[in-house]
């Protein structure tokens, strides 16, 4: 399985053709680009944050 269900596709993979290439590379652990692609995509993943942590960060950005 590629990724986690409900997770958004990675940014900037190059449109539909690039996304197909991404899926092909991620499905083949022996592909020379697999580890680099995995690292890049892992850095883009949404992190689970609590509502409290999100609100705390927003309070520093949004001033009333």
């Amino acid at each position: 399985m590629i990724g986690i269900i409900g997770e958004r596709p990675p940014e900037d993979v190059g449109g539909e053709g690039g996304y197909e290439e991404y899926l092909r590379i991620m499905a083949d652990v022996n592909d020379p680009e697999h580890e680099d692609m995995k690292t890049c995509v892992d850095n883009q993943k949404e992190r689970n944050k609590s509502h409290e942590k999100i609100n705390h960060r927003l309070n520093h950005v949004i001033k009333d």
Side-chain angles (χ1 to χ4, degrees), residues 1-27:
M1 174 189 250
I2 306 294
I4 298 171
I5 294 174
E7 189 175 297
R8 65 173 171 70
E11 297 287 331
D12 259 352
V13 290
E16 186 177 327
Y19 185 63
E20 289 175 6
E21 181 74 358
Y22 157 76
L23 291 175
R24 183 192 63 74
I25 291 169
M26 293 305 292

Side-chain angles (χ1 to χ4, degrees), residues 14-49:
E16 186 177 327
Y19 185 63
E20 289 175 6
E21 181 74 358
Y22 157 76
L23 291 175
R24 183 192 63 74
I25 291 169
M26 293 305 292
D28 182 2
V29 295
N30 295 316
D31 188 290
E33 296 181 59
H34 180 85
E35 282 304 313
D36 287 339
M37 182 74 71
K38 184 177 184 311
T39 299
C40 181
V41 171
D42 283 347
N43 289 333
Q44 294 180 22
K45 285 185 179 178
E46 297 293 322
R47 306 291 186 243
N48 290 328
K49 294 183 177 81

